[in-house]
Every structure is written in structure tokens, then in C-alpha cells.
Amino acid sequence: MSAYKIAIVGAGPAGYFTAQAFQNAQTDELTFTIDMIERLPTPWGLVRSGVAPDHPKIKTVSKVFEKIAKTEGFKLFANVELGKDISLKDLRERYDAVVLATGSSKGRKLGIPGEELSNCISAAEFVPWYNAHPDYVDVDVDLNCDTAVVIGAGNVAMDVARLLAIDPSELDQTDIAEHALVKLKQSQIRKVIICGRRGAEHAAFTAPELRDLPKLDNTDVYIDVDQINQASSRIEQMGEIEKDLRNNLEAMRLIAEHNKKGSERKLEIKFLSAPIQIKGGTKVEEIVFAINEVKDGKIITTSKTFVIKAGLVVTAIGYDAVEYAGINIENGRITNIAGHVEHNIYVTGWAKRGPVGVIGTNKSDSNDVVDLIIENLKIPKVSEGILGLLKSGHEVIDQMAWEKINVHEMISGEILNKPRIKETSKIKLINIGTQRRSDYKTS
Ligand code: NAP
């Protein structure tokens, strides 16, 4: 029988689906022990700090993660940071395979003048801010203006715009960060404009998310129907239309044509609008856009421009992977061939393929990487794994400690009819996790 030790770095969807693929591949002759290493004191990655609080259904995948975590041979080592508490070299030596599932958390830059002005924020900061990520609690967000612009035509842009545009009381019964809810309740923003640089036919939104927009209770959503008509006629000329694209355009047409409620709160989606400059004294005051056109399927930037006066800009234009000592990044991804990085190091999820795909996309991706790892495995190493690498007294949040945190947050939320109240301080999270079970207190 061969028993292999696997280290998975990153406790997000890609990490858990990798663990699951190893668990599913076990036979009487082949077994795996899995150590999942996570820098935060809490697991679940983007399911905790990325998914919008008003989309609780998407978060139910965490039940699958907990089932994986309770399977024999799986151990969680949270509050352990690669590059600080342990090195990649150490992991490489002690494990038969190391899988990096570290995601992409660096927001891409527009690279236009004025991007450095205050209140021009990347979704890579804004989203974890409203989702109570301990590292983003202090992001300086000023909602004291009437109009906000969100750059990008993807689902992250839509999440951000929706959160800014809806009545914050609709978030009362969600797990949004308390600090964000307080600020959103004081927000003066009544108009949010999403700007995509290409046509409606090129938008990266998905149809289910678009279809939710006309259902918003307290917000009217606008799209210029001419932009949809023009996009439809452009794609008809190009031959057969893919089902997803047809669904997307239908969902956008529904938004354009549905009856408006006359709400004070407005969300608008504009296409063919490429930001070229952000202007302001020290803070964002207006954004200059070039008007783009589509000619023979290509985007042409015209000399025509327009300006939107706005006090907040959020850029939601994609992410890059973070660097680790000894790992190369190319085009925002960890350099790899089909998930193989070098020696016994592999990569999966957004860090492997770039920031595309929904949570479930990570499942097939991780299955493929695990197949490749199993093909490449050699004689099992004899080592104690991560134990012995950490300094004495290092507070590891293991599965039992995480379960204490999880229960604590859920109990705290129950009183207020919320799924949970997320703790934002790493120290408090560690204290909650490492105190004795009988010491539970709700705050
Ligand atoms: P995305 O889907 O790739 O969208 C990024 C958008 O930014 C695109 O419209 C892109 O336009 C635009 N963009 C890129 N560079 C730009 C620039 N310099 N100037 C102006 N616009 C620019 O990325 P995302 O929204 O970050 O989402 C990442 C992944 O997570 C996606 O697969 C998404 O579906 C998924 N996600 C899913 C959900 C959900 O299911 N509810 C929620 C959030 C995220 P071009 O196309 O012209 O490059």
C-alpha cells in the first residue's frame, strides 16, 4: 500500500475541491493524508470573503467543504502563512506533492491618469471590505457622494454595483460586515453606473445574475435598449449565436424594457465606454470616457468622449495571483503547464488558470490536477509533514478550532436573524478558536 502526504495551500474552493479529488481517488492500495494550510484563521476563501452577502445560496457550498474537512486523513492548519510561518522549500521537502490553491487577490490596474486619487478603489479591496476580511477592515471608502462608477462588465462589477445601489436595509439579514452595513446606511449614493469598455455582446456578466436585477425591490435598473439592439444586430451578422450569449442579451433586454418603479435608487449599465482619465483634486470628482465602437467585430476607440461626475470609482477589471518566493508569475498566473509548476509543486484554481469561472469550475480543474499528480507520484516520503516546522507557541487553527469560530459567529448572528456575524479581528478569531469549548460566549 502507498500512503502519500499532500499539502494544499489555500482553503478556498480550489483547495477543498483538490482535497475532495484526492479523497475520491483513494483505494485500498493508495491513500492520501491531506494537510490544508491557510494564512487566515478562517477557511472557505472567496466563499467567505468574495461571494456577495445578498447571495447566500452560493455560500451553501461551504457544507461540501465541511464534509471534505471531516473526512479521515484531512487536517486544517489555518493561521499558517506560506512565506512567513513556513517556506515552500520546507513543504516541498516534506510532502509528496504541494498544491498551491492561493487564488488571485491582487486587483488589476487600469493604468490611466487619476487612478491614484482617493476614493478610486479596486474591487480587490472593496469586496473583502464589505465581506469582513480581517486585512481589509480599514479600507477607506467614502460613500458621501450621489454617484458611483463601477468599471468592468463582469459579475464582480455587478456585485459591487448592486451592493452600492440597493437599499441597505435589504442587507440587514445577511452576513455583510457590520462596519460596511453601518457605512452603507449612511451612504448618499443614489446612482451607480457600471461601464463596460466593449459592447453588450462582449459583457462577462452571466444571465442568472442579470435576471435578478429587475427584481430588486428598491432600485430601478437601466440599460439603453439601443445598445442591446445594436449588439443583437452585430452578432446576427456574424452567424450562429451561442446559447449563453443569447441568454445574456435576452436578460439585458428584459432590464432595458421592464417597467421602472420610480425609485430614487438607480443602477445603470453602459457599454462601449472606456475610461481614459479620472479627474479630481485629491479625490475622485469625474471620469472621462472615450466612446468605443464595434466595427467588423473589432473595438475601435473614437475621438468622442463623455464625462460622468462621480465621487467614487470602483474598478472590477480582474485580478492577478500574489507572488511567493521561488514561484514565477506570468500574465497574473503562477507559471505552470497543466497545473504542474516544478518538481512536486502544482497549482490549481484562479492561481493556475487566471480569475475566470464560477466556484464549481474549480472542481473539474482540481480533478485534472490531481490526476496529473497521481501519475507523477514516486515513492512516498517519510516525514512528519508540517509538524516541527512551526515555531513553538504558534496558534494553529485546526478543524476543531475553526468549528468553534463557526458556531460562535452563527450564534452571534442568530439573535439578529442573520446567518452569522463575522469577526474581523484575527486576534479575536484566534482567541475564539483556541478557547475551551465550555467557554463559548456570544458577544
Ligand atoms: P471578468 O468576468 O473577467 O470581468 C472583467 C471585466 O473587466 C470585463 O468586462 C473586462 O472587459 C473588464 N476590463 C478588464 N480590463 C479593463 C480595462 N483596462 N478597462 C475597462 N474594463 C476592463 O472578471 P470578474 O468580474 O472579476 O469575475 C471573475 C470571475 O468570477 C468570473 O468568472 C465571474 O463570472 C466570477 N464571479 C461569479 C459570480 C457569480 O456567479 N455570482 C460573482 C462574482 C464573480 P473586457 O472583456 O473588454 O476585457
mmCIF file of all heavy atoms in Angstrom, residues 41 132-134 137 422-432:
data_model
loop_
_atom_site.group_PDB
_atom_site.id
_atom_site.type_symbol
_atom_site.label_atom_id
_atom_site.label_comp_id
_atom_site.label_asym_id
_atom_site.label_seq_id
_atom_site.Cartn_x
_atom_site.Cartn_y
_atom_site.Cartn_z
ATOM 1 N N PRO A 41 -7.183 32.916 9.894
ATOM 2 C CA PRO A 41 -7.668 31.966 10.913
ATOM 3 C C PRO A 41 -8.981 31.294 10.504
ATOM 4 O O PRO A 41 -9.532 30.517 11.279
ATOM 5 C CB PRO A 41 -7.892 32.853 12.153
ATOM 6 C CG PRO A 41 -7.306 34.176 11.836
ATOM 7 C CD PRO A 41 -7.263 34.313 10.345
ATOM 8 N N ALA A 132 -15.941 41.545 5.425
ATOM 9 C CA ALA A 132 -15.319 41.355 6.753
ATOM 10 C C ALA A 132 -13.986 40.613 6.736
ATOM 11 O O ALA A 132 -13.633 39.951 7.715
ATOM 12 C CB ALA A 132 -16.307 40.659 7.716
ATOM 13 N N HIS A 133 -13.234 40.708 5.634
ATOM 14 C CA HIS A 133 -11.895 40.111 5.607
ATOM 15 C C HIS A 133 -11.006 40.910 6.561
ATOM 16 O O HIS A 133 -10.922 42.138 6.450
ATOM 17 C CB HIS A 133 -11.363 40.185 4.168
ATOM 18 C CG HIS A 133 -10.082 39.441 3.943
ATOM 19 N ND1 HIS A 133 -8.932 39.697 4.655
ATOM 20 C CD2 HIS A 133 -9.770 38.447 3.072
ATOM 21 C CE1 HIS A 133 -7.967 38.891 4.226
ATOM 22 N NE2 HIS A 133 -8.452 38.124 3.278
ATOM 23 N N PRO A 134 -10.338 40.238 7.508
ATOM 24 C CA PRO A 134 -9.558 40.976 8.526
ATOM 25 C C PRO A 134 -8.543 41.967 7.943
ATOM 26 O O PRO A 134 -8.280 42.991 8.548
ATOM 27 C CB PRO A 134 -8.824 39.857 9.284
ATOM 28 C CG PRO A 134 -9.627 38.633 9.054
ATOM 29 C CD PRO A 134 -10.267 38.779 7.706
ATOM 30 N N VAL A 137 -10.410 45.638 6.736
ATOM 31 C CA VAL A 137 -11.341 46.360 7.606
ATOM 32 C C VAL A 137 -11.123 47.870 7.489
ATOM 33 O O VAL A 137 -12.074 48.654 7.539
ATOM 34 C CB VAL A 137 -11.119 45.906 9.074
ATOM 35 C CG1 VAL A 137 -11.969 46.713 10.039
ATOM 36 C CG2 VAL A 137 -11.412 44.428 9.206
ATOM 37 N N LYS A 422 -19.677 38.020 11.219
ATOM 38 C CA LYS A 422 -18.271 37.657 11.028
ATOM 39 C C LYS A 422 -17.388 38.508 11.924
ATOM 40 O O LYS A 422 -17.537 39.727 11.978
ATOM 41 C CB LYS A 422 -17.877 37.891 9.570
ATOM 42 C CG LYS A 422 -18.450 36.885 8.611
ATOM 43 C CD LYS A 422 -17.895 37.190 7.234
ATOM 44 C CE LYS A 422 -18.716 36.590 6.144
ATOM 45 N NZ LYS A 422 -18.509 37.265 4.867
ATOM 46 N N GLU A 423 -16.494 37.826 12.608
ATOM 47 C CA GLU A 423 -15.492 38.523 13.419
ATOM 48 C C GLU A 423 -14.402 39.020 12.457
ATOM 49 O O GLU A 423 -14.000 38.289 11.552
ATOM 50 C CB GLU A 423 -14.919 37.528 14.441
ATOM 51 C CG GLU A 423 -13.865 38.087 15.341
ATOM 52 C CD GLU A 423 -14.275 39.383 16.022
ATOM 53 O OE1 GLU A 423 -15.196 39.357 16.846
ATOM 54 O OE2 GLU A 423 -13.667 40.430 15.725
ATOM 55 N N THR A 424 -13.947 40.256 12.652
ATOM 56 C CA THR A 424 -12.978 40.809 11.694
ATOM 57 C C THR A 424 -11.555 40.888 12.252
ATOM 58 O O THR A 424 -10.627 41.206 11.518
ATOM 59 C CB THR A 424 -13.383 42.232 11.267
ATOM 60 O OG1 THR A 424 -13.543 43.015 12.434
ATOM 61 C CG2 THR A 424 -14.645 42.228 10.452
ATOM 62 N N SER A 425 -11.409 40.632 13.558
ATOM 63 C CA SER A 425 -10.063 40.739 14.129
ATOM 64 C C SER A 425 -9.419 39.355 14.175
ATOM 65 O O SER A 425 -9.994 38.401 14.710
ATOM 66 C CB SER A 425 -10.157 41.335 15.539
ATOM 67 O OG SER A 425 -9.138 40.821 16.354
ATOM 68 N N LYS A 426 -8.209 39.271 13.608
ATOM 69 C CA LYS A 426 -7.522 37.972 13.597
ATOM 70 C C LYS A 426 -7.292 37.482 15.020
ATOM 71 O O LYS A 426 -7.460 36.297 15.317
ATOM 72 C CB LYS A 426 -6.172 38.110 12.883
ATOM 73 C CG LYS A 426 -6.270 38.087 11.385
ATOM 74 C CD LYS A 426 -4.880 38.037 10.784
ATOM 75 C CE LYS A 426 -4.940 38.426 9.332
ATOM 76 N NZ LYS A 426 -3.672 38.758 8.737
ATOM 77 N N ILE A 427 -6.905 38.413 15.898
ATOM 78 C CA ILE A 427 -6.609 38.009 17.287
ATOM 79 C C ILE A 427 -7.861 37.454 17.956
ATOM 80 O O ILE A 427 -7.828 36.405 18.602
ATOM 81 C CB ILE A 427 -6.011 39.194 18.077
ATOM 82 C CG1 ILE A 427 -4.628 39.508 17.494
ATOM 83 C CG2 ILE A 427 -5.927 38.913 19.573
ATOM 84 C CD1 ILE A 427 -3.996 40.759 18.004
ATOM 85 N N LYS A 428 -8.983 38.155 17.741
ATOM 86 C CA LYS A 428 -10.226 37.662 18.360
ATOM 87 C C LYS A 428 -10.621 36.311 17.777
ATOM 88 O O LYS A 428 -11.071 35.419 18.492
ATOM 89 C CB LYS A 428 -11.347 38.680 18.169
ATOM 90 C CG LYS A 428 -11.243 39.860 19.116
ATOM 91 C CD LYS A 428 -12.505 40.671 19.082
ATOM 92 C CE LYS A 428 -12.319 41.961 19.861
ATOM 93 N NZ LYS A 428 -13.232 43.012 19.420
ATOM 94 N N LEU A 429 -10.445 36.167 16.458
ATOM 95 C CA LEU A 429 -10.783 34.881 15.831
ATOM 96 C C LEU A 429 -9.948 33.758 16.452
ATOM 97 O O LEU A 429 -10.468 32.688 16.780
ATOM 98 C CB LEU A 429 -10.524 34.950 14.318
ATOM 99 C CG LEU A 429 -11.574 35.699 13.493
ATOM 100 C CD1 LEU A 429 -11.037 36.059 12.107
ATOM 101 C CD2 LEU A 429 -12.856 34.874 13.346
ATOM 102 N N ILE A 430 -8.656 34.039 16.621
ATOM 103 C CA ILE A 430 -7.766 33.012 17.191
ATOM 104 C C ILE A 430 -8.189 32.701 18.630
ATOM 105 O O ILE A 430 -8.263 31.542 19.031
ATOM 106 C CB ILE A 430 -6.287 33.482 17.113
ATOM 107 C CG1 ILE A 430 -5.863 33.571 15.652
ATOM 108 C CG2 ILE A 430 -5.366 32.546 17.900
ATOM 109 C CD1 ILE A 430 -4.605 34.371 15.397
ATOM 110 N N ASN A 431 -8.518 33.753 19.380
ATOM 111 C CA ASN A 431 -8.942 33.530 20.769
ATOM 112 C C ASN A 431 -10.220 32.701 20.843
ATOM 113 O O ASN A 431 -10.333 31.794 21.662
ATOM 114 C CB ASN A 431 -9.157 34.868 21.487
ATOM 115 C CG ASN A 431 -7.833 35.530 21.810
ATOM 116 O OD1 ASN A 431 -6.785 34.877 21.778
ATOM 117 N ND2 ASN A 431 -7.854 36.816 22.083
ATOM 118 N N ILE A 432 -11.161 33.024 19.959
ATOM 119 C CA ILE A 432 -12.426 32.261 19.964
ATOM 120 C C ILE A 432 -12.130 30.791 19.624
ATOM 121 O O ILE A 432 -12.638 29.873 20.258
ATOM 122 C CB ILE A 432 -13.441 32.840 18.948
ATOM 123 C CG1 ILE A 432 -13.846 34.262 19.332
ATOM 124 C CG2 ILE A 432 -14.688 31.956 18.855
ATOM 125 C CD1 ILE A 432 -14.516 35.041 18.206
#
